[in-house]
Every structure is written in C-alpha cells, then in structure tokens.
Amino acid sequence: MNVSEFVWHRLRAWGLSRVYGYPGDGVGGLDIALQEAINDGFDYVQVRHEEMAAFMASAHAKFTGQVGLCYATSGPGAIHLLNGLYDAKLDHVGVVAIVGQQARTAIGAHYQQEVDLQTLFKDVASEYVATAMVPSQVRHLIDRAVRIAHAKRAPTCVIIPNDLQEMAYADPPLKHGTTHTGIGYAFESKVPEADGLRQAADVLNAGKKVAILVGAGCLSATDEVIEVAELLGAGVAKALLGKAVLPDDLGYVTGSLGLLGTKPSWDLMQGCDTFLMVGSSFPYSEFLPKPGSARGVQIDINGANLSLRYPMEVNLIGDSAATLRALAPLLTRKADRSWRHKIEGEVVSWWKTLEDRAMQSATPINPQRVFWELSPRLPENAIITADSGSAANWFARDLKMRRGMKASLSGGLASLGAGTPYAMAAKMAFPDRTVIACMGDGAMQMNGINVMITIGKYWKTWSNPKLVVLVLNNRDLNQVTWEERVQLGEGKTESTQAIPDFPFARYAELIGLKGIHVDDPEKLGAAWDEALSADRPVILEARTDPNVPPLPPHITVKDAKNFLTMMGSEPELGSVIRGSAKEMLASILPGKH
C-alpha cells in the first residue's frame, strides 16, 4: 500500500467507515485511494463546502456516539473546516480531520496554498494535531488521532503533505526513535469511588426540594435519570443538547432551561433547596439556583466541568448512566411528594400556555403554531435538528420529545448554518428514520440551500426517503433582531437585519425535491401531513411573522426597560407591540386568541 491507501485502511480498522469531505490537489493521493476504499465498502459523502463536512462529522459523532471523520485539501479547504470543528470542540464530541498540505519540499517557500496548518489547527485540535513527514510515521499519527478524539471527546487533526501521500507505506523499524502503536478503544473507569457516592447520597437524601438538570451526557442514561428522579421526587430540566434525554410526557419534566427555556424550569431552579447536575456544562449561571441557596451535587465524565457553573458541595467524575446506577441504591425514596406535585401542576399549566401562545393570530403565520402542529405528528424514532436563531426557541419549547427520538443542534458554538448538515449526517447514519430540520431563512440562505444539493445527490440511496427541511421565511435575522430590542434597547436595524426573500419551496422543485409553501395557519396541519408522507425530501416553507416575540421564561426589569426604550427607534413598532401584547395576554388569560 501507499500512504494514502494505508490511511483509509487504518481508519477502517478503527471502525470509522464514513467520511465527509471535498477533493483537491492537496489530497490528490487520498482522493484516488478513497475511490478504492469506497469499492471495498467505505462510505464517502461529498459535500458542497468543507465547513459542511466538519459539521456533518460533528453531528455524526453526536447521533451515533462514534468518532466522526472529515477531510479536506490544503490551504483554503483546510481553513473551511474550522467552524464545524469548533462545533465539535465546544460540544465535546470526537472528530478526526485529515487535511492535505503542499509538498514537503515547498514548505517554507511561501508556496501557493501554503498555510501553517500546524498553527492554524492548534487551538481547535488542541488535544492533538500533527504533520506527517515520513511514511513510517503515519500509523501512529492515525492511531493517536482516533484514540485521543474518542478518549478526550474532542477534534484532532492529521496533516499529510501531498508528496507523501503516494509514497510506499512501511511500518516503522524496530529501533531507537520509533514508536509502535495499536488499534482498539480503551475500557473506561466509569464509576466514582464509594465515599464520593455516599457523600452525594447524603446531600440528596437531606433535600426536600430537589431539582435535576441533565445534558447531552445523559443521552444514554434515560432509565437511570428516571429512577433517580422518582426516588428524589425531583423535577428535571433539560439543557438544550439534552432535549432528547427524557420524554416530555413525564409530568415532572419541565423542559429546556435558559433564554430558550420554560417558566417551569426557571421556577424549578429558583425554588429548589438541592441541585443535581448531570452530564451538562450548561453555560448560563443566572438560570441556575442562586449560589448558596441550594446544596449541589454534580456528575460529569470530564472533571474540568465540575463546579464550573455552580459551587457544588460534592463533585463526581463518572459516566452518567453508570454513576446514577451506583447512586440509586443509596437514595431514600421521599415520602413527601408535595414538591413533585407542585412541579407537575406547573408543567400542565405551561403546556396550556404554549398552546394558547401558538394559537394567537399573526401576519400571516405565528411561528409557534408551525411547531405546535408538528409536535403530535412527529413520527416514532424521528431525528430533529435545529439551527441557531428564533427557530431554536420554538424547537426548544414547543416540540414534545418521545422515547426513542434524537435531537440536536450547535450548542456551545451556536453557529448559524448547522441545522441542514446535521440533518444530512443523521440521515446517512440512520437512513430508515425520518429526519426533520428546523431552519430559519437566514441559515438557509447562508448555506442550507447548498446542503439541499447534497441531499439531492444521496437521497435515493436511503431506505426511507423522508427528510423534511422546515424553513421559517420571515425575511429577518430574527433572533438577533429581538436581542437588539430586549438586550440593547434598540429598534430593528433594517440595514443589518432585513434579508432578501427567496423561493425556498420552488428551489426544492428545481433540484428534483418536493417543495411545499404555506401562508395560511389553518393549512399548516395539512402541509405537515403532506411533507411527512412525501416520497422524497421536502422543503416546507412557512411564511411566518417576524414580530412574534420569543419571550424569555423570566422577564427582568432590565429587559422591560430596554423594551420600552427601543420603541423610539423601532421601524415596525405597531406590529411588534401587537405581537408582544398577544403573547403576554396568552400567558395571563389563556384561551384568548
């Protein structure tokens, strides 16, 4: 084998069998060898832009629990990977990036497309980035990149100059100055020491009002979280990346926490006397209990995340599921269920409030109603992705997750444009499942329409062709517009916030997919039924009102003052006031549409 052939062979030996990428002369040898690997069963997804390859690799890691894999050419191709790799870094998932480089003889000569890739990737791939200089070095570079990506839950990078790619591969000789690595993932120590578990149990057993916050680290711990919550009589809030941890039909599940969260989650955190945080590095401390008001216990696989957002009394390093299983026998079931009953009553009231908000009239469609109509229609085992922007608000609040579903978005980075590559990766990993991407028109114009071309290239290979891309077409970069109004006290800056109209549904038809356009709220249900029964991927374009406010779960005095201040500079004042008044009225007087 030459070096390129060995790279794909070694990656396959590690269990990596799908790569997202884009060709180029900086990876010419890898391109040729990849074709041979494809003939032997390796899966290659050709993207339209390298950033999408990295996003897809990140999403692959999130949805499968495996290490994601992407590759790109030297110079501009490598640079394009960065945003998607930062998505993986900030959301703690393992991704390996293979990138090309100019010939070794040209490095240092200010050569075309020569970029200092070692330095470029040093931050995003801080756990491991290395450049191959001789063929016998490649084995340990690939082995370490995969092993570290998996163990550290982080992106890693291997740089391979193009003149090295077609050289004959040889294992390193057995002599001084060489190393000899092997494949195979390590068995992890997943449970903390017994003393720590006992101390955690003592704190939790002493509490009368226990609140639990779960994140992405609990996605494989659903049953364990339910058992502990039942024992403690606790309410459970979900960080956004943990939306799929628990089904929302459990009465004590309060939904998302934070600016995109729910009022019951806010009340849960403010009213508790004991706080258990599991598998989450939720960033917004202002939505957690006030320091000192609750005794804290935290469980996380990464010790660096402990006591980071709240001063915890007991910190446990361990896998969420294994640690909760070990902790449960030490917990005493709480006889007093009044705290639990209070939470359940608030959750029932909240879902009614959301329905009333969704049914408020708007011009032409209330975006909340789009999601409210989707929620009961979600197919079993559906996978839902969302983009950053106002669509993420309604995704977070209005969609009721059921057991077996998956859901994700760009969390720590909150990057615009991740929703459609996430959906593509979900469909490649689970071609039998229905996938739904919840997008704003800004993200679709940024890169979503290009990802639709990739979807068009591959959808006929899927056993189930159902992939629906919802687009909220409101001609506004809506989340930032509302942030300007509420956080900065300024009206909409039309020069930066207004975006051009685009015929998304007609575009779908142009590239051989199905397009559905809806601008009547009474036809939303039928539009969803049509989209979810289509024989090919669909763009469902909903004309929505940009002036329906994504109300935070708790309105501060500062927020209220800023809203009043912005009135003097708001170009759409009448519509903004009407939309805000209707939503507030729905919260106070349910049933008034």
Side-chain angles (χ1 to χ4, degrees):
M1 289 185 286
N2 64 23
V3 166
S4 295
E5 292 165 341
F6 176 79
V7 166
W8 300 121
H9 173 80
R10 194 67 170 183
L11 289 167
R12 186 66 179 271
W14 273 98
L16 278 60
S17 59
R18 177 174 296 115
V19 62
Y20 299 92
Y22 199 78
D25 58 6
V27 284
L30 287 165
D31 291 338
I32 294 168
L34 179 57
Q35 181 61 61
E36 297 175 10
I38 291 169
N39 294 338
D40 290 334
F42 208 93
D43 195 10
Y44 167 56
V45 179
Q46 181 204 70
V47 298
R48 314 274 68 77
H49 188 285
E50 293 90 351
E51 182 184 355
M52 302 303 99
F55 269 136
M56 290 176 194
S58 177
H60 176 93
K62 289 184 179 184
F63 288 128
T64 67
Q66 304 165 355
V67 172
L69 179 62
C70 59
Y71 92 111
T73 190
S74 57
I79 293 167
H80 286 162
L81 290 176
L82 288 176
N83 196 50
L85 292 178
Y86 272 108
D87 179 63
K89 180 183 177 75
L90 270 62
D91 283 349
H92 312 292
V93 293
V95 171
V96 173
I98 306 294
V99 299
Q101 176 60 293
Q102 293 304 303
R104 293 167 296 167
T105 53
I107 292 174
H110 192 57
Y111 205 72
Q112 184 187 37
Q113 291 193 342
E114 182 193 348
V115 173
D116 184 353
L117 298 180
Q118 189 81 28
T119 299
L120 181 74
F121 284 93
K122 188 56 183 175
D123 181 57
V124 71
S126 57
E127 294 292 348
Y128 188 73
V129 55
T131 301
M133 299 308 293
V134 295
S136 59
Q137 183 189 10
V138 173
R139 183 176 73 182
H140 74 254
L141 297 190
I142 296 297
D143 288 351
R144 295 206 71 212
V146 178
R147 190 184 306 280
I148 291 171
H150 178 264
K152 296 289 189 177
R153 297 170 178 83
T156 58
C157 178
V158 176
I159 303 161
I160 308 177
N162 60 13
D163 61 331
L164 187 69
Q165 294 169 24
E166 294 191 271
M167 294 180 66
Y169 172 76
D171 285 339
L174 189 60
K175 67 176 186 179
H176 185 72
T178 64
T179 190
H180 299 262
T181 56
I183 60 172
Y185 299 105
F187 292 97
E188 296 181 324
S189 176
K190 295 185 175 183
V191 181
E193 295 179 358
D195 286 348
L197 292 169
R198 181 73 261 173
Q199 290 181 38
D202 289 344
V203 171
L204 296 171
N205 285 331
K208 295 181 179 180
K209 300 177 179 179
V210 181
I212 300 175
L213 173 62
V214 296
C218 290
L219 287 170
S220 298
T222 297
D223 291 331
E224 290 81 3
V225 172
I226 290 173
E227 181 183 12
V228 169
E230 289 289 355
L231 288 168
L232 297 174
V236 184
K238 300 187 283 190
L240 199 51
L241 288 174
K243 183 173 175 64
V245 170
L246 294 180
D248 287 303
D249 59 4
L250 296 173
Y252 55 84
V253 174
T254 61
S256 297
L257 181 68
L259 280 171
L260 279 60
T262 71
K263 187 176 184 299
S265 291
W266 168 265
D267 292 340
L268 176 72
M269 292 295 153
Q270 301 311 304
C272 70
D273 63 15
T274 308
F275 177 39
L276 172 60
M277 186 173 181
V278 190
S280 175
S281 56
F282 177 81
Y284 304 118
S285 294
E286 68 269 26
F287 288 93
L288 300 179
K290 293 178 181 178
S293 67
R295 300 178 72 184
V297 174
Q298 186 175 359
I299 301 168
D300 203 283
I301 197 72
N302 183 355
N305 292 333
L306 296 172
S307 276
L308 180 62
R309 312 300 184 195
Y310 186 84
M312 298 293 178
E313 187 171 335
V314 181
N315 295 284
L316 302 175
I317 298 176
D319 172 78
S320 297
T323 302
L324 291 174
R325 280 196 300 271
L327 182 62
L330 305 178
L331 300 176
T332 303
R333 178 179 170 82
K334 297 194 183 299
D336 182 355
R337 312 301 277 189
S338 58
W339 170 246
R340 166 67 70 82
H341 294 154
K342 177 178 182 292
I343 294 164
E344 290 173 336
E346 290 175 347
V347 169
V348 169
S349 176
W350 174 252
W351 282 115
K352 179 59 179 172
T353 296
L354 284 182
E355 181 179 12
D356 287 329
R357 287 182 181 178
M359 293 303 171
Q360 297 298 315
S361 61
T363 308
I365 292 177
N366 183 332
Q368 293 164 109
R369 184 164 178 182
V370 181
F371 288 79
W372 193 259
E373 295 284 356
L374 167 62
S375 190
R377 292 176 167 85
L378 286 170
E380 294 300 316
N381 297 317
I383 302 176
I384 305 106
T385 72
D387 218 293
S388 297
S390 61
N393 288 277
W394 322 128
F395 160 84
R397 295 176 187 164
D398 290 89
L399 293 184
K400 293 185 178 181
M401 301 302 294
R402 301 196 301 275
R403 187 183 278 266
M405 293 180 176
K406 296 177 181 287
S408 196
L409 76 175
S410 176
L413 190 61
S415 176
L416 203 64
T420 47
Y422 269 42
M424 180 66 190
K427 197 65 182 177
M428 295 304 297
F430 301 97
D432 58 323
R433 292 192 177 195
T434 299
V435 176
I436 300 164
C438 305
M439 307 291 295
D441 49 358
M444 280 299 287
Q445 289 185 25
M446 178 175 282
N447 55 35
I449 55 176
N450 286 341
V451 177
M452 297 308 301
I453 300 173
T454 305
I455 290 170
K457 177 179 172 69
Y458 291 100
W459 74 267
K460 292 182 181 179
T461 66
W462 302 333
S463 56
N464 170 8
K466 293 180 174 57
L467 186 155
V468 181
V469 177
L470 165 68
V471 184
L472 303 180
N473 189 350
N474 56 26
R475 291 78 63 205
D476 181 42
L477 297 175
N478 199 233
Q479 184 76 5
V480 174
T481 296
W482 277 102
E483 288 171 349
E484 288 181 352
R485 288 166 176 158
V486 176
Q487 296 180 10
L488 301 179
E490 296 291 339
K492 175 180 177 179
T493 53
E494 292 184 292
S495 60
T496 64
Q497 300 309 110
I499 60 174
D501 198 1
F502 185 88
F504 296 103
R506 282 190 285 149
Y507 172 74
E509 300 283 344
L510 179 68
I511 60 174
L513 308 179
K514 185 176 182 64
I516 301 171
H517 180 275
V518 59
D519 56 10
D520 181 348
E522 299 305 318
K523 296 180 179 179
L524 275 171
W528 274 118
D529 291 339
E530 183 181 358
L532 291 168
S533 61
D535 64 352
R536 64 193 60 210
V538 177
I539 291 181
L540 173 54
E541 178 185 0
R543 297 287 287 200
T544 55
D545 190 337
N547 292 326
V548 174
L551 293 175
H554 174 71
I555 299 174
T556 66
V557 173
K558 181 176 182 291
D559 293 338
K561 287 182 178 178
N562 284 341
F563 187 82
L564 294 173
T565 302
M566 71 86 192
M567 290 184 179
S569 59
E570 174 53 56
E572 300 171 7
L573 184 60
S575 177
V576 169
I577 291 176
R578 284 193 299 274
S580 301
K582 288 178 181 179
E583 294 300 303
M584 291 298 295
L585 187 64
S587 302
I588 301 168
L589 300 173
K592 301 296 184 181
H593 299 167

